[in-house]
Amino acid sequence: MEIKEIGEFGLIKLLAEGIKLDPNRVVLGIGDDAAVLKQDGSKLLLATTDTMTEGIHFLFSTTSPEQLGYKSLTVNVSDIAAMGGLPTAALVSLTLPKKIECNWVNSLYRGIKEACNVYGVNLVGGDTVSSLGGITLTVTLLGEVEPDCLIRRSGAKPGDLLGVTGPLGGSAAGLRLLSLELNRDLKGAEAALARHLKPEARLWAGRNLAKTGKVHSLNDISDGLCSEVLEIAEASGVGVVLNARDIPVDPAAWEIAEYTGDDPLDWALYGGEDYELVFSFSPEGKGEIEAALAEAGCSLRIIGEIVRDREKKFINFPDGRLRPLKALGYNHFN
Amino acid sequence: MEIKEIGEFGLIKLLAEGIKLDPNRVVLGIGDDAAVLKQDGSKLLLATTDTMTEGIHFLFSTTSPEQLGYKSLTVNVSDIAAMGGLPTAALVSLTLPKKIECNWVNSLYRGIKEACNVYGVNLVGGDTVSSLGGITLTVTLLGEVEPDCLIRRSGAKPGDLLGVTGPLGGSAAGLRLLSLELNRDLKGAEAALARHLKPEARLWAGRNLAKTGKVHSLNDISDGLCSEVLEIAEASGVGVVLNARDIPVDPAAWEIAEYTGDDPLDWALYGGEDYELVFSFSPEGKGEIEAALAEAGCSLRIIGEIVRDREKKFINFPDGRLRPLKALGYNHFN
């Protein structure tokens, strides 16, 4: 059987089988945004890794090396933010064709170093090896979090409200623009492309949310809102109802959709790579959470609620239709 | 300018330029076997990463997936051992062609999990993505070490003796056997192939060496003995003299060399991937070091000494010839 028959998530399940973990060391292994380890100090150690491959995650022709470098760090910072932590140090592994230009690699590292400065990350190591194929870039990011600030995806409780930190669908609109080779001067194009090619992580929003003590579950939106919300619901053993009219669709997505004829709500629900945070919280914490997000320069958008019935996972449309929640994000092996 | 013009080490130098590190957090960044970070407990955090690419580090046709998985962990454990530490947790990033068989990936992970069990490593995370090219496997390994057990490569002192933990050249002999497609039934072939395809890390030797407090510098032999010894000398600002007749050449290398006509000493000096440890120590510690290595199942071989004159870096042959020490190991971009 080829792996495309079981898909990315089937593969991860297969690989995770039979792994023995030392409970004195490991708080969380495979299955959240980052691994969580005990160390002998008061803080927990966080570790996460993300790989970007040429032709799959990026095209040489549409991404500048600076953007690629910056994004490779950002997507990992977003995973640390989704645990309530702060990043500390990164290791970068790079496979490169021998014929690549020094200038290109230098620019890639300029982007990596810029992101390190923005997010307070120490670039401490890595590996550079040659490749017979294309470019592969793997960033492993370490971080730390106080035990009472750690937020898992598995803590959602019935009655929780579901919030996001910002507009969605802009990154998918940018990707669509690139894939159709549309004019980059279109209205909304600059914003959508920036969202896709050089996203930012909601690090301070995640930190501030964690410090309120009111947030029960948290994911970053890398694979698409519905996919992330389903992960929270499944890990927490609860159901969830999203309200379509409350999803904050990125204005750039509306603008691009006028040209492409797509539904911008689909981009917001399934597109991914917006790197906003989605989280559940007790309703009485709403004021504190609004203040925490305002301090981090973003605002609370309530998009649904957590329910007790774990079979109940759907989106509620203004016309009364209910659609089941589906994880339609990118799957690497389907 | 293409990167093959500046080579692997020129590239690393280029990439490391202008990196700002937080001295309150980072003890060692790029430039040793692993990065060393302060955390709020009493131990230091170690982090290292190694990438293996198809066609460069391994061939689909000559390496089994179990061997590849096992080796991908081992080479990282060896880096942690070379700091005097113990490994704690690993993250594995994998790029795979979509058409690959589940069985192959399962076997790869069987090898990874076996090595995790052998070396006491928790497999806590990773990433699996598709690739348009071949297979790339990046393992990031975390570890820890007490501050007084940390051994850098920069601590060698004039008058130190230079030791290795075991025979060298076997891995290069195995690689030669594979590249010539020689009969695997040759005398010495099984040992040489095992050495190349499924090496072990000298974890307990490194730990025991660190605990003696007599070891001043330490590297693992991944790139070739001469390359590693030069790294120690250059990082420490000292010279070094190796005695050719004292280099412990692997018996399997002698046996394979009879068929291939190669010089097995060259394999021992330049071949690499034996994953023995090379270290310098104060002569008065010799007895303790012998005992420490015996407890870890290996023995001390003294191969040279550290000298004050940093220009003096050579190998002393029995016939009185002196050859300058050269790093002739594999260079990824030359």
Side-chain angles (χ1 to χ4, degrees):
Chain A
M1 192 164 59
E2 293 178 358
I3 53 173
K4 65 183 179 190
E5 292 173 54
I6 60 172
E8 181 182 355
F9 298 99
L11 179 64
I12 294 171
K13 209 173 156 188
L14 188 76
L15 303 183
E17 260 172 31
I19 291 179
K20 289 173 219 141
L21 298 174
D22 174 3
N24 294 317
R25 170 70 67 180
V26 182
V27 180
L28 281 177
I30 293 168
D32 212 310
D33 293 297
V36 184
L37 301 165
K38 283 181 213 170
Q39 43 190 19
D40 66 345
S42 63
K43 290 180 185 168
L44 297 168
L45 175 64
L46 302 172
T48 186
T49 189
D50 260 296
T51 294
M52 302 176 80
T53 54
E54 187 182 345
I56 305 284
H57 296 87
F58 64 92
L59 295 175
F60 213 83
S61 54
T62 59
T63 306
S64 77
E66 284 92 345
Q67 288 167 334
L68 177 63
Y70 195 91
K71 184 170 177 174
S72 72
L73 244 289
T74 300
V75 301
N76 280 285
V77 171
S78 182
D79 281 322
I80 296 293
M83 305 305 289
L86 282 174
T88 54
L91 297 100
V92 175
S93 280
L94 195 54
T95 75
L96 294 169
K98 290 187 191 196
K99 288 180 70 75
I100 207 162
E101 289 288 324
C102 288
N103 277 346
W104 191 92
V105 187
N106 231 342
S107 299
L108 178 82
Y109 265 74
R110 199 176 312 125
I112 291 173
K113 290 170 192 171
E114 184 193 346
C116 283
N117 287 339
V118 167
Y119 295 112
V121 173
N122 292 286
L123 183 55
V124 295
D127 199 8
T128 48
V129 304
S130 52
S131 143
L132 298 183
I135 298 162
T136 303
L137 178 55
T138 298
V139 174
T140 302
L141 186 64
L142 307 180
E144 59 182 23
V145 63
E146 305 80 0
D148 59 358
C149 281
L150 176 68
I151 310 179
R152 303 160 195 239
R153 67 174 56 146
S154 61
K157 294 180 172 62
D160 277 4
L161 297 174
L162 207 64
V164 290
T165 50
L168 303 174
S171 179
L175 179 62
R176 185 86 169 128
L177 204 63
L178 291 176
S179 68
L180 294 176
E181 298 179 20
L182 285 179
N183 191 334
R184 291 186 175 214
D185 295 330
L186 288 182
K187 205 177 166 208
E190 193 180 332
L193 289 174
R195 196 78 200 204
H196 183 68
L197 295 173
K198 203 183 171 192
E200 298 291 347
R202 289 290 193 190
L203 180 59
W204 298 106
R207 252 330 253 179
N208 287 357
L209 284 173
K211 286 190 205 154
T212 64
K214 305 291 183 191
V215 175
H216 296 152
S217 65
L218 177 59
N219 258 4
D220 73 316
I221 303 177
S222 48
D223 288 334
L225 176 67
C226 289
S227 174
E228 305 293 346
V229 166
L230 276 173
E231 280 186 356
I232 286 177
E234 276 156 23
S236 305
V238 296
V240 60
V241 180
L242 294 189
N243 294 310
R245 70 168 160 217
D246 297 328
I247 309 289
V249 177
D250 196 313
W254 283 108
E255 284 163 345
I256 302 302
E258 275 195 35
Y259 295 95
T260 64
D262 293 285
D263 181 349
L265 183 62
D266 278 352
W267 287 338
L269 292 172
Y270 308 113
E273 293 211 300
D274 286 305
Y275 300 102
E276 297 292 343
L277 300 174
V278 57
F279 53 96
S280 81
F281 61 98
S282 29
E284 75 272 17
K286 185 165 170 267
E288 272 177 84
I289 282 169
E290 281 172 333
L293 290 183
E295 202 199 305
C298 50
S299 57
L300 174 65
R301 333 283 178 107
I302 295 174
I303 59 168
E305 61 181 318
I306 300 293
V307 298
R308 188 167 305 276
D309 181 357
R310 61 164 74 192
E311 303 303 316
K312 209 168 159 183
K313 289 168 186 153
F314 58 77
I315 313 176
N316 195 358
F317 282 81
D319 61 5
R321 281 178 307 134
L322 295 177
R323 266 198 239 164
L325 265 178
K326 283 190 180 155
L328 297 179
Y330 190 78
N331 183 312
H332 272 283
F333 299 105
N334 279 355
Chain B
M1 191 165 56
E2 293 180 357
I3 53 172
K4 64 184 179 190
E5 293 172 56
I6 61 170
E8 181 182 355
F9 298 98
L11 178 64
I12 294 171
K13 207 171 155 187
L14 188 76
L15 303 184
E17 261 173 28
I19 290 179
K20 289 174 218 139
L21 298 173
D22 174 4
N24 295 318
R25 170 70 66 180
V26 182
V27 180
L28 280 177
I30 292 168
D32 212 309
D33 293 296
V36 184
L37 301 165
K38 282 180 213 171
Q39 42 189 20
D40 67 344
S42 63
K43 289 179 185 168
L44 297 168
L45 175 64
L46 302 172
T48 186
T49 190
D50 259 297
T51 294
M52 301 174 80
T53 53
E54 187 182 345
I56 305 283
H57 296 86
F58 64 92
L59 296 175
F60 212 82
S61 54
T62 59
T63 306
S64 78
E66 285 92 346
Q67 289 167 333
L68 178 62
Y70 194 91
K71 184 169 177 175
S72 72
L73 244 289
T74 300
V75 302
N76 281 285
V77 172
S78 182
D79 281 322
I80 297 292
M83 305 304 289
L86 282 174
T88 54
L91 297 100
V92 175
S93 281
L94 196 55
T95 74
L96 294 169
K98 289 187 192 195
K99 287 179 71 73
I100 207 162
E101 288 289 322
C102 288
N103 277 346
W104 191 93
V105 186
N106 231 342
S107 299
L108 178 81
Y109 265 74
R110 199 176 311 125
I112 291 173
K113 290 170 192 171
E114 185 193 344
C116 283
N117 287 340
V118 167
Y119 296 111
V121 173
N122 292 287
L123 183 55
V124 295
D127 199 9
T128 49
V129 304
S130 52
S131 142
L132 298 183
I135 298 161
T136 303
L137 179 55
T138 298
V139 173
T140 302
L141 187 63
L142 307 180
E144 58 184 24
V145 64
E146 305 80 359
D148 59 358
C149 281
L150 176 68
I151 310 180
R152 304 161 195 238
R153 66 175 55 146
S154 60
K157 294 180 172 60
D160 277 4
L161 296 175
L162 207 64
V164 291
T165 51
L168 302 174
S171 179
L175 180 60
R176 185 86 168 127
L177 204 64
L178 291 175
S179 68
L180 294 176
E181 298 178 20
L182 286 178
N183 191 332
R184 291 187 175 214
D185 295 330
L186 289 182
K187 205 177 166 208
E190 193 182 332
L193 289 174
R195 196 78 200 203
H196 184 69
L197 294 173
K198 202 184 171 192
E200 298 292 346
R202 289 292 193 189
L203 180 59
W204 298 106
R207 254 328 255 179
N208 288 356
L209 286 173
K211 286 189 205 155
T212 64
K214 306 292 183 190
V215 175
H216 295 151
S217 65
L218 178 59
N219 258 5
D220 72 318
I221 303 177
S222 50
D223 288 334
L225 177 66
C226 290
S227 174
E228 306 293 346
V229 166
L230 277 173
E231 280 186 355
I232 286 178
E234 277 158 22
S236 306
V238 295
V240 59
V241 180
L242 293 190
N243 294 310
R245 70 167 162 218
D246 297 328
I247 309 290
V249 177
D250 196 312
W254 283 107
E255 286 163 345
I256 303 302
E258 275 195 34
Y259 295 94
T260 64
D262 294 286
D263 181 349
L265 182 62
D266 277 353
W267 286 338
L269 291 172
Y270 308 113
E273 293 212 301
D274 287 304
Y275 301 104
E276 298 292 342
L277 300 174
V278 57
F279 52 96
S280 81
F281 61 98
S282 29
E284 75 272 18
K286 185 164 170 269
E288 270 177 86
I289 281 169
E290 280 172 334
L293 290 183
E295 202 199 305
C298 50
S299 57
L300 173 64
R301 333 281 180 109
I302 296 175
I303 59 167
E305 62 182 318
I306 300 293
V307 298
R308 186 167 306 276
D309 181 357
R310 62 165 71 192
E311 301 303 317
K312 208 168 160 184
K313 288 169 187 153
F314 57 77
I315 313 176
N316 194 357
F317 283 81
D319 62 5
R321 280 180 308 135
L322 295 177
R323 267 198 240 163
L325 266 179
K326 282 189 181 158
L328 298 178
Y330 191 78
N331 183 310
H332 273 282
F333 299 105
N334 280 355

